[in-house]
Amino acid sequence: MAAARAAHPDGLDEYSIIYCEMIKRPPTRDDLAIACRRLEEMEFVGIVERFDESVKLLCSTFGWEVPAYESMNIAPVRTRRDGIAPDILEALMQANALDFELYEYAKSLFSRRLARMESAAKPG
């Protein structure tokens, strides 16, 4: 049975309320610390660029059998970094600096958990 979400008088759900509050101010280092802690609390963290390894870690984490699947990278062609004006790129990097730090933290967490899984799978 799904848990009921508290309704806001304006008809917004709790996630919409949180989002509205979040966009009222820029993120802080405290927000980054909270996000990193929350990632640590997650049973599983995957990285899309390491999809195959993420599937294996997901299955290992929850005791599932790795399914047979075909990886189909059908993403459209993206703008290359060198196709963005340097001043625009710098502004984007600065505006999203904490997001990049969180992503690096997530990749590190993923790598540690993957290494732990792989070492546990090796015959002792």
Side-chain angles (χ1 to χ4, degrees), residues 66-119:
V66 178
Y69 65 91
E70 181 181 349
S71 183
M72 297 172 48
N73 187 354
I74 56 172
V77 176
R78 297 181 184 168
T79 302
R80 292 177 40 99
R81 184 177 279 222
D82 59 6
I84 302 172
D87 59 328
I88 301 294
L89 185 58
E90 179 60 29
L92 289 170
M93 297 296 284
Q94 286 180 6
N96 296 287
L98 294 177
D99 289 328
F100 290 122
E101 285 188 49
L102 180 61
Y103 180 62
E104 290 302 318
Y105 184 81
K107 289 193 313 185
S108 172
L109 177 62
F110 172 79
S111 292
R112 289 191 315 265
R113 290 180 177 180
L114 184 65
R116 197 174 330 142
M117 177 200 77
E118 291 172 341
S119 70

Side-chain angles (χ1 to χ4, degrees), residues 18-32 34 98:
I18 292 169
Y19 176 75
C20 289
E21 289 300 313
M22 286 173 55
I23 62 173
K24 289 181 184 176
R25 65 171 179 75
T28 65
R29 290 229 154 259
D30 288 342
D31 295 326
L32 177 61
I34 291 168
L98 294 177

Side-chain angles (χ1 to χ4, degrees), residues 40-93:
E40 285 282 351
E41 294 169 358
M42 298 289 162
E43 291 291 321
F44 168 77
V45 173
I47 302 295
V48 72
E49 292 84 15
R50 297 177 70 180
F51 182 79
D52 292 337
E53 293 167 300
S54 293
V55 169
K56 290 175 185 170
L57 180 59
L58 174 70
C59 292
S60 174
T61 299
F62 294 106
W64 302 336
E65 197 169 312
V66 178
Y69 65 91
E70 181 181 349
S71 183
M72 297 172 48
N73 187 354
I74 56 172
V77 176
R78 297 181 184 168
T79 302
R80 292 177 40 99
R81 184 177 279 222
D82 59 6
I84 302 172
D87 59 328
I88 301 294
L89 185 58
E90 179 60 29
L92 289 170
M93 297 296 284

